[in-house]
Amino acid sequence: MANGLILLAGIGLLILLVLARQIPLQLLARIVAPVFRPVMRIFRIKPSGNASAGTVKAAHSGTSAWAALSRASRPQTETERALGETFDHEDKHITRHGVLFNWLSVVVGYIQVPNELSDEVAERYHSEGTRFLNGRVPISADCQNLYEDEEGAIIARNFPEDAGCLYLLNRMRKEINGNVRKLTVIFSAIISSILIINLIYNDGAALGLATLMGLSEGLSLGPLSMDIEDINRAGFAALTTLGGAFAMWIAYYVEYAPYQRNNFRELSNFITRYLARLNDHFRTAEGQAKSVTVGQEKDAAEFSKQARKWHTTVLWIAWRIFFIESFVRGVMFQILRNSGYYLVMVPALFLVVLAGVNSLFADSLAFDLWTRIADLGLVFGFLFVALIGVYVIFLRHSMTSIDEINQDEWIGFDSLLLDNVLGEMVGKYAEDVGYWKNRIGGSF
């Protein structure tokens, strides 16, 4: 009895450690940092920010093993560091629902992109666009970061206007992956607990099914026969395995599936609304660019200034949409990649722990796992294999909600038809020049 309670308590501790994500590693990193710092200096593992712009120095080198340890112990990813920490407005307009699993709803007012492209906003866009279009592509990268995290950080640094959008996309990624991690932990804990309970407590007397059925002798069905103890073991196995299957059904369909689908719907709706706002600005800038020569203005220098401003603004908005979609691609990749890790690594972790505990019991208590499983009978074996089948089916369908993300539902970069827009702008200026050349009669 005591050993069973200790084993179940160990499973509970394992659940807490897995759900804590990187917190234990971050605490451990703070403790061992003074010891490993000299070793890291020997291997020349330093932050990449020390290298000057446009160069690649040895400060960017480091072994992948050290890099993996470094990533696991960091409180923030490179993308989160690039985004910054001032998101009070965004946090006030995000509501988190749920206790076991969670989903995020985006409240009206989250998007800070102005409704209209005023002259003041256009001037800011022109300034940001000029900086971006004249900027240098960074060729340096910190090898201790994952590639998609490094790319996300580059986008965040180049498009500070869209920090709120990128912040929500990254937070949605973490919430969705967190739900998958919780699902695998809960399901693995259910499977492990049912196995442990049957191994420790199913001795043929725990339930007393034969007594409840009014049986004083065993049952015989042709060549198959079951004594009172076998009936009781089968009843206990059926009760626990069916209870485990029901618990997994409740966890999946009552909370996980609807909450995860809500996350993807909120994410899709947000992208649609955000890109629609940018598309409105793009069409306004396009119209302004085409109408530069219309009106009472006669100053050629002012014509040139306005044409350059609106041309840059059109390009700048288009590039913003392009890289937001690129960021979305990175988020989708991380969601699927990380979920795949959880679906494999969390059950494997539980299996390793159970195997280790079995080895410990085998040495100290002369506990033979396979003999004990054989003693539980064929009924338990069949039901437990069926339970594992239910477990696998649920986990295989854990990411079906991602079909809520449909690129055809929003106005993406391809919808801008940028080549046609730029061609029409240049054509409009050429038409005006041709008109006045013919009007004056000759060159000017």
Side-chain angles (χ1 to χ4, degrees), residues 352-408:
V352 169
V353 171
L354 288 176
V357 172
N358 173 61
S359 299
L360 178 63
F361 280 8
D363 293 338
S364 60
L365 302 176
F367 180 82
D368 190 334
L369 175 63
W370 301 111
T371 300
R372 179 57 180 159
I373 290 178
D375 291 340
L376 294 176
L378 292 176
V379 174
F380 170 78
F382 174 79
L383 292 176
F384 191 73
V385 170
L387 182 64
I388 293 176
V390 173
Y391 169 88
V392 172
I393 291 172
F394 277 136
L395 291 187
R396 285 189 62 186
H397 290 81
S398 61
M399 288 303 296
T400 54
S401 299
I402 201 170
D403 59 9
E404 294 289 337
I405 304 294
N406 186 349
Q407 193 174 11
D408 294 333

Side-chain angles (χ1 to χ4, degrees), residues 158-202:
N158 277 312
F159 299 91
E161 282 281 342
D162 299 308
C165 172
L166 305 181
Y167 171 76
L168 180 68
L169 295 176
N170 186 65
R171 185 165 174 184
M172 278 289 190
R173 173 192 65 80
K174 295 167 65 177
E175 207 68 43
I176 291 169
N177 278 149
N179 284 339
V180 177
R181 186 180 66 256
K182 293 175 186 177
L183 183 71
T184 56
V185 169
I186 291 170
F187 278 18
S188 299
I190 291 174
I191 291 284
S192 302
S193 299
I194 289 173
L195 178 61
I196 293 170
I197 288 172
N198 277 272
L199 290 174
I200 302 299
Y201 302 107
N202 189 0

Side-chain angles (χ1 to χ4, degrees), residues 50-287:
N50 294 335
S52 60
T55 63
V56 180
K57 294 187 176 181
H60 298 69
S61 65
T63 61
S64 59
W66 284 108
L69 291 174
S70 174
R71 286 194 301 270
S73 61
R74 291 180 188 178
Q76 287 184 313
T77 65
E78 187 67 21
T79 299
E80 291 169 344
R81 290 170 56 188
L83 285 172
E85 300 178 355
T86 56
F87 291 98
D88 294 337
H89 169 85
E90 286 75 12
D91 290 334
K92 290 179 181 178
H93 290 80
I94 298 176
T95 304
R96 195 167 186 255
H97 306 270
V99 178
L100 184 59
F101 300 100
N102 303 106
W103 67 278
L104 302 179
S105 61
V106 183
V107 182
V108 175
Y110 181 95
I111 299 176
Q112 298 189 75
V113 177
N115 290 322
E116 297 181 358
L117 184 60
S118 62
D119 290 338
E120 180 182 355
V121 174
E123 288 292 342
R124 188 172 77 246
Y125 283 6
H126 175 250
S127 175
E128 290 290 331
T130 300
R131 177 191 60 80
F132 172 75
L133 294 173
N134 292 320
R136 173 180 289 183
V137 176
I139 62 172
S140 297
D142 188 350
C143 67
Q144 298 180 66
N145 294 322
L146 294 172
Y147 178 78
E148 68 275 5
D149 187 33
E150 192 73 21
E151 286 295 294
I154 293 296
I155 295 174
R157 293 188 183 101
N158 277 312
F159 299 91
E161 282 281 342
D162 299 308
C165 172
L166 305 181
Y167 171 76
L168 180 68
L169 295 176
N170 186 65
R171 185 165 174 184
M172 278 289 190
R173 173 192 65 80
K174 295 167 65 177
E175 207 68 43
I176 291 169
N177 278 149
N179 284 339
V180 177
R181 186 180 66 256
K182 293 175 186 177
L183 183 71
T184 56
V185 169
I186 291 170
F187 278 18
S188 299
I190 291 174
I191 291 284
S192 302
S193 299
I194 289 173
L195 178 61
I196 293 170
I197 288 172
N198 277 272
L199 290 174
I200 302 299
Y201 302 107
N202 189 0
D203 57 358
L207 183 60
L209 179 63
T211 302
L212 295 176
M213 295 174 61
L215 298 175
S216 58
E217 298 180 359
L219 294 175
S220 296
L221 299 173
L224 300 177
S225 62
M226 298 179 64
D227 57 22
I228 297 296
E229 187 175 338
D230 291 335
I231 294 174
N232 288 336
R233 283 176 176 170
F236 188 86
L239 178 65
T240 54
T241 53
L242 292 176
F246 181 71
M248 287 192 286
W249 186 89
I250 290 291
Y252 186 88
Y253 283 109
V254 174
E255 281 220 358
Y256 174 81
Y259 281 19
Q260 199 74 311
R261 189 164 294 276
N262 285 342
N263 276 324
F264 280 112
R265 284 176 179 172
E266 286 287 333
L267 179 58
S268 180
N269 291 337
F270 173 79
I271 296 171
T272 301
R273 290 188 289 115
Y274 195 88
L275 295 185
R277 187 74 62 87
L278 291 184
N279 181 72
D280 290 342
H281 286 195
F282 179 85
R283 297 306 172 190
T284 300
E286 175 191 356

